[in-house]
């Protein structure tokens, strides 16, 4: 039984994404996970039916309403994940130097050394000498001979493979599309549900993101796009992909198979840095607390991994199997929250004690970002100046809370990327924007019926914070108002002392 407690608003700035599965789809478990600190629930469309995902989506919405919180939903598309077909006997040992055939036209269905896969063109895309990895890189084979729709391979990394396990071909320029027929069918589900984010798997070029956006718009969906960086081509085209995306996921599982695993930490840091400068939320994912699938405590290395991702500046950290199939899903969320909180305490303590401003490596020199911000993070120059000024004012006055009124969420995202020690309450009149802001670092979103003038926004925030016991007499609130459509009063900065 977990002892996880609900975290106070703004206590943990780093957001937590939890993948749902058999261990966590139950409504009662969803509530416990949300109370333990989950901000975004991930629906993995590599598994499960539309009916199952619809039931889970409705349960999430009900939990959010009961708790009076904004909880985002990330629909993760399967993408062109190449998997083995059915293997005779379901599992086969791959001994060193043993030979296998990969073909799109099997001739001996009872031969476990004759393999098929879900991507029929793979044998034609391979070249002699190329390395093919199976089962998350635990088994490797080298191509010895190639014929039409057929290759012969020799085992160079022994192990065991099973039916339907994944296949990776590091460095190969495969002709497969980033959006599969299954993905397009899953987007029909998207159009019927107000998911906040859609995860695009195996992105290689910015054009992949553009195509998904056009498919979403054609279906009337306002879902934002999280591009998953898990291919070498995506790393090479990182800045253009970031510029077209609403968020990025460092998908270290397949990335660690596709590139040298020793390079993954450096790539992770580079992705986070570029996302921060482009003002795009970034999620660090895969095997963060992997041992907690079967243990109530993480390893020290895992705790350090989460801690350092927060120090690097990630906006969110993600749990996969830990919450989808693990034995301790609530404990995993609670532990993730605790580690993130400790990392944030160190960040702010170092800043206060003068051991170097951690923001100095995050913020750019005067005159604006050194790289263009993404389409998702663009704000007007006046708004930019107001946001930066508000951050300095909040720091100088040791404000208890920053309050931002925003229609699109962009002003809140700009404040989030300032990495203020002061937590942010973001008010918006758009319900979908409110849910999406649940992913923004340090931001607690709140949906209100209408955005008024600055004085009314302040009065609303003051009353809400009093009811929630977030402020006391003498506390200072810094209020920021972004551009509100059809309202001439905008781009305001106000300091309020609680009476």
């Amino acid at each position: 039984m977990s002892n996880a407690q609900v975290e106070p608003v703004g206590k943990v700035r780093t957001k937590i994404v939890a993948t749902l599965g058999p261990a966590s789809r139950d409504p009662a478990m969803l509530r416990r996970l949300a109370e333990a600190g989950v901000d975004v629930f991930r629906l993995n469309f590599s598994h499960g039916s539309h009916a199952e995902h619809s039931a889970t989506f409705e349960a999430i919405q009900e939990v959010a309403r009961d708790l009076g919180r904004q909880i985002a939903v990330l629909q993760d598309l399967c993408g062109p994940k190449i998997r083995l077909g059915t293997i005779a006997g379901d599992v086969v040992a791959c001994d060193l130097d043993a030979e296998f055939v990969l073909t799109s036209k099997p001739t001996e269905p009872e031969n476990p050394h004759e393999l098929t896969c879900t991507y029929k063109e793979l044998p034609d895309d391979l070249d002699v000498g190329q390395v093919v990895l199976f089962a998350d890189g635990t088994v490797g084979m080298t191509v010895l001979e190639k014929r039409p729709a057929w290759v012969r391979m020799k085992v160079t990394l022994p192990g065991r493979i099973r039916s339907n396990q994944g296949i990776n071909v590091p460095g190969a320029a495969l002709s497969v599309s980033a959006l599969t027929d299954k993905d397009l069918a899953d987007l029909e589900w998207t159009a019927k549900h107000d998911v906040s984010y859609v995860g695009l798997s195996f992105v290689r070029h910015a054009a992949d993101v553009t195509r998904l956006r056009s498919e979403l718009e054609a279906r009337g969906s306002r879902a934002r796009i999280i591009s998953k960086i898990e291919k070498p081509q995506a790393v090479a085209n990182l800045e253009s992909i970031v510029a077209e995306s609403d968020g990025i996921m460092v998908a270290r599982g397949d990335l660690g198979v596709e590139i040298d695993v020793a390079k993954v930490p450096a790539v992770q840091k580079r992705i986070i840095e570029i996302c921060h400068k482009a003002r795009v939320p970034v999620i660090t994912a895969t095997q963060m607390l992997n041992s907690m699938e079967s243990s109530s405590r993480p390893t020290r290395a895992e705790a350090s991994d989460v801690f350092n991702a927060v120090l690097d500046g990630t906006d969110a950290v993600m749990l996969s199997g830990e919450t989808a199939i693990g034995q301790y899903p609530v404990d995993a969320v609670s532990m993730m929250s605790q580690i993130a909180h400790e990392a944030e305490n160190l960040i702010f303590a170092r800043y206060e004690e003068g051991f170097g401003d951690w923001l100095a490596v995050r913020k750019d020199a005067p005159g604006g970002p050194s790289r263009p911000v993404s389409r998702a993070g663009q704000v007007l120059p006046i708004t930019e100046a107001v946001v930066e000024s508000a951050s300095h004012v909040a720091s100088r006055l040791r404000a208890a809370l920053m309050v931002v009124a925003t229609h699109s969420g962009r002003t809140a995202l700009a404040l989030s990327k300032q990495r203020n020690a002061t937590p942010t309450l973001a008010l918006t009149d758009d319900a979908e924007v409110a849910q999406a802001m649940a992913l923004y670092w340090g931001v607690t979103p709140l949906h209100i019926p209408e955005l008024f003038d600055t004085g009314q926004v302040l009065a609303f925030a003051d009353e809400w914070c009093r009811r929630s016991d977030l402020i006391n007499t003498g506390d200072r609130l810094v209020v920021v108002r972004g551009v509100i459509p059809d309202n001439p009063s905008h781009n305001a900065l106000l300091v309020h002392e609680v009476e």
Side-chain angles (χ1 to χ4, degrees):
M1 186 70 68
S2 171
N3 294 318
Q5 300 294 321
V6 182
E7 295 287 3
V9 172
K11 181 181 178 183
V12 180
R13 314 308 203 268
T14 306
K15 299 306 180 81
I16 296 177
V17 183
T19 304
L20 297 180
S24 50
R25 283 196 297 257
D26 179 77
M29 178 58 74
L30 288 173
R31 183 184 180 103
R32 292 178 63 200
L33 291 171
E35 289 176 338
V38 172
D39 301 285
V40 181
F41 282 116
R42 171 177 173 251
L43 304 181
N44 186 355
F45 270 62
S46 296
H47 309 283
S49 66
H50 283 190
E52 289 173 335
H53 289 307
S54 293
T56 303
F57 180 84
E58 293 302 323
I60 294 170
Q61 301 297 91
E62 184 66 28
V63 167
R65 285 190 293 268
D66 286 349
L67 296 178
R69 284 180 50 200
Q70 298 297 328
I71 300 176
V73 174
L74 165 59
Q75 175 195 8
D76 201 341
L77 299 177
C78 181
K81 176 73 172 180
I82 304 174
R83 296 185 180 277
L84 284 165
T86 301
I87 297 174
D90 188 54
V91 61
V92 59
C94 301
D95 298 324
L96 187 64
D97 294 331
E99 293 190 359
F100 285 76
V101 165
L102 177 65
T103 176
S104 59
K105 298 177 181 179
T107 56
E108 299 181 59
E110 300 303 318
N111 181 1
H113 282 241
E114 187 170 84
L115 308 175
T116 61
C117 71
T118 54
Y119 176 46
K120 302 302 182 184
E121 291 79 11
L122 181 59
D124 292 321
D125 284 350
L126 294 174
D127 293 317
V128 173
Q130 204 151 30
V131 175
V132 183
L133 300 176
F134 302 85
D136 292 330
T138 59
V139 175
M141 302 185 194
T142 300
V143 177
L144 300 178
E145 180 183 359
K146 177 178 178 178
R147 302 177 191 168
W150 180 97
V151 292
R152 180 168 59 91
M153 305 177 295
K154 180 176 71 172
V155 176
T156 52
L157 179 62
R160 293 160 63 89
I161 56 176
R162 306 181 69 92
S163 300
N164 305 315
Q165 284 187 315
I167 301 175
N168 293 85
V169 189
L174 304 181
S175 57
V176 62
S177 171
L179 279 177
T180 66
D181 290 342
K182 179 185 184 311
D183 295 332
L184 294 174
D186 289 339
L187 291 181
E188 299 301 325
W189 182 93
T190 314
K192 300 174 184 176
H193 299 80
D194 293 329
V195 298
S196 300
Y197 296 96
V198 173
L200 181 59
S201 299
F202 302 103
V203 176
R204 288 167 294 180
H205 309 280
D208 297 331
V209 186
T210 304
R211 184 192 171 197
L212 174 57
R213 196 175 303 282
S214 66
E215 294 287 352
L216 288 168
E217 290 173 351
R219 292 164 174 78
S221 173
R222 295 176 60 195
R224 293 155 174 78
I225 298 173
I226 301 287
S227 295
K228 298 168 65 179
I229 307 301
E230 48 196 338
K231 302 285 289 183
Q233 296 95 323
V235 176
N237 298 312
L238 184 59
E239 294 197 20
S240 61
I241 291 171
V242 169
E244 288 297 320
S245 303
D246 302 297
I248 294 292
M249 182 186 295
V250 189
R252 304 181 305 179
D254 279 286
L255 184 63
V257 176
E258 292 279 344
I259 67 174
D260 187 341
V261 69
K263 297 179 179 178
V264 171
V267 171
Q268 174 179 312
K269 290 177 184 293
R270 176 171 171 246
I271 293 171
I272 291 173
E273 181 181 4
I274 289 175
C275 286
H276 186 86
K277 290 181 177 179
R279 203 176 285 144
V280 169
V282 56
I283 305 167
T284 303
T286 317
Q287 295 182 336
M288 301 214 78
L289 298 178
N290 193 54
S291 68
M292 290 194 75
E293 286 188 20
S294 56
S295 171
S296 61
R297 299 283 294 176
T299 67
R300 291 164 180 79
E302 289 167 341
S304 296
D305 183 32
V306 175
F307 193 97
N308 283 306
V310 175
L311 292 185
D312 286 342
T314 191
D315 292 87
V317 284
M318 192 176 95
L319 295 162
S320 300
E322 300 95 331
T323 50
I325 59 174
Q327 299 176 32
Y328 304 94
V330 179
D331 295 275
V333 173
S334 180
M335 180 58 66
M336 186 79 91
S337 181
Q338 292 176 49
I339 297 168
H341 189 215
E342 290 298 325
E344 292 162 5
N345 284 344
L346 176 62
I347 289 168
F348 299 133
R350 288 177 62 85
Y351 176 63
E352 288 290 330
E353 293 168 9
F355 289 109
D357 183 353
W358 86 292
L359 293 172
V361 300
R362 303 282 171 224
K363 295 179 181 176
D364 300 294
S370 58
R371 294 183 177 90
V373 297
S374 72
R375 61 181 301 280
Q378 291 174 347
V379 295
L380 296 174
I382 296 175
T383 304
E384 186 87 53
V386 169
V387 165
E388 291 183 4
S389 299
S391 299
H392 288 299
V393 169
S395 176
R396 178 70 62 86
L397 297 180
R398 297 184 180 274
L401 193 67
M402 300 185 74
V403 180
V404 55
T406 175
H407 177 73
S408 66
R410 290 182 176 181
T411 305
L413 180 56
L415 271 172
S416 169
K417 288 299 183 178
Q418 291 286 317
R419 289 301 194 260
N420 299 299
T422 306
T424 299
L425 177 67
L427 311 181
T428 181
D429 57 347
D430 189 316
E432 292 187 25
V433 170
Q435 286 190 341
M437 288 194 296
L439 181 62
Y440 296 177
W441 187 98
V443 173
T444 299
L446 187 62
H447 177 231
I448 62 177
E450 184 179 358
L451 287 175
F452 314 102
D453 61 42
T454 308
Q456 289 172 307
V457 166
L458 173 59
F460 182 94
D462 185 283
E463 181 184 355
W464 189 87
C465 290
R466 287 177 189 270
R467 291 200 312 266
S468 304
D469 293 326
L470 294 177
I471 56 176
N472 299 301
T473 300
D475 283 345
R476 290 163 176 157
L477 307 184
V478 175
V479 182
V480 179
R481 195 173 189 278
V483 176
I484 308 298
D486 302 321
N487 192 319
S489 173
H490 56 253
N491 286 320
L493 169 59
L494 179 70
V495 178
H496 169 67
E497 189 165 307
V498 179
E499 298 179 354

